[in-house]
Amino acid sequence: MKVYSAEFLTGAVSAKQYPKVSHPEFAFAGQSNVGKSSLLKSLLNRKKLVRTSSTPGKTQEINFFEINEKLIFTDLPGYGFARVPASVQRKWQSMIEQYVLKRKSLTALIFIVDLRRDPTQLDLELKHWLDANAIRYILVATKSDKLSAGERSKQVRKIKQAFCTEEDSDKLVVYSSKNNLGRKELWSQITKLANQQNALTNAEENQER
Ligand code: GTP
Ligand code: MG
């Protein structure tokens, strides 16, 4: 299996700290402890990533990584961590909102939910907000290894019901960071969107010339 290089670029809390990049960018978002950092490590086939904390709710910055000099992945702070006071929650929320709405290089969000859980209020709020703002996302339901095959298909049905329309029901990627289930599928969706973004950027550059 290919091991990807992941160079830590910077951590940012506000727009002026975002790094200048020219690659398609993908942001990993989801509830606290859902498995964002594990998913990143599984995708990159790396045991460690600098800057991924082991304490839930501790990632309070947007961490930017350059992947194989081709892509940017950002690890967003998880939302809905119970032990974080409401004032801090609000600060995180505005930080993430600002990033998602303003970041020009953002190609898509990797929206991660827990396959074992029914969609939470916070997940649904994020979905509606993304839809309302026309932000593209790839939906990933992770920790699938923790369920039996029967439970898995039951949960897949529920999540699709909450998140997908009939036309886009194939967009849900069922994942496990433990046994890398769904890895190939997720890479193929990421690569497809990255290629589209690159083609768009090239076309714009040609027009400017
Ligand atoms: P925060 O950054 O703190 O919000 O957490 P996170 O979303 O980055 O979650 P993290 O990747 O740290 O995973 C949380 C816990 O779930 C860890 O104990 C992981 O080992 C476990 N975990 C994550 N993904 C999987 C998975 O696919 N399968 C199994 N069995 N465990 C997982
Ligand atoms: Mg994390």
Side-chain angles (χ1 to χ4, degrees):
M1 224 187 326
K2 186 169 160 189
V3 178
Y4 291 76
S5 73
E7 190 198 341
F8 176 68
L9 296 178
T10 189
V13 293
S14 67
K16 58 180 187 299
Q17 298 169 324
Y18 301 163
K20 279 208 174 60
V21 300
S22 50
H23 308 310
E25 185 164 307
F26 294 85
F28 291 70
Q31 214 151 319
S32 181
N33 212 36
V34 74
K36 293 177 296 299
S37 304
S38 305
L39 178 68
L40 265 168
K41 285 183 281 189
S42 154
L43 265 182
L44 300 172
N45 197 21
R46 298 181 69 87
K47 292 224 160 39
K48 266 205 219 152
L49 268 184
V50 275
R51 292 286 180 135
T52 50
S53 76
S54 51
T55 320
K58 266 206 90 183
T59 316
Q60 302 201 5
E61 292 183 330
I62 301 171
N63 288 318
F64 293 80
F65 298 90
E66 188 180 65
I67 310 304
N68 280 13
E69 296 170 25
K70 276 191 181 148
L71 295 172
I72 305 293
F73 282 178
T74 65
D75 193 5
L76 299 181
Y79 50 87
F81 182 57
R83 269 180 276 160
V84 171
S87 60
V88 179
Q89 290 278 11
R90 275 196 297 276
K91 221 172 84 194
W92 287 8
Q93 196 180 337
S94 75
M95 178 169 89
I96 294 173
E97 279 179 11
Q98 186 190 38
Y99 165 77
V100 172
L101 295 177
K102 298 221 173 113
R103 184 67 166 162
K104 289 222 168 60
S105 46
L106 184 65
T107 304
L109 230 72
I110 312 295
F111 183 173
I112 307 157
V113 298
D114 189 329
L115 184 64
R116 297 170 303 169
R117 316 248 178 269
D118 294 352
T120 67
Q121 189 58 38
L122 286 170
D123 289 335
L124 294 172
E125 275 172 25
L126 177 59
K127 178 213 183 285
H128 293 309
W129 184 79
L130 293 172
D131 289 343
N133 288 286
I135 309 291
R136 188 187 284 127
Y137 60 88
I138 302 171
L139 186 67
V140 179
T142 193
K143 303 195 183 178
S144 65
D145 59 279
K146 294 197 177 213
L147 294 179
S148 69
E151 291 168 323
R152 210 176 293 160
S153 45
K154 192 174 120 217
Q155 286 306 105
V156 165
R157 235 185 350 261
K158 278 193 188 167
I159 291 174
K160 280 188 177 173
Q161 234 165 34
F163 287 94
C164 305
T165 59
E166 248 171 62
E167 299 85 68
D168 66 4
S169 69
D170 60 342
K171 83 171 175 193
L172 174 69
V173 180
V174 177
Y175 206 92
S176 164
S177 300
K178 200 171 172 191
N179 61 27
N180 294 328
L181 177 87
R183 189 175 185 272
K184 211 171 143 201
E185 166 67 19
L186 184 52
W187 264 122
S188 116
Q189 293 208 24
I190 290 173
T191 310
K192 192 171 139 208
L193 292 178
N195 289 341
Q196 282 173 9
Q197 174 86 37
N198 282 330
L200 208 70
T201 311
N202 288 339
E204 277 168 9
E205 276 171 7
N206 283 337
Q207 251 181 7
E208 276 165 22
R209 258 187 227 132

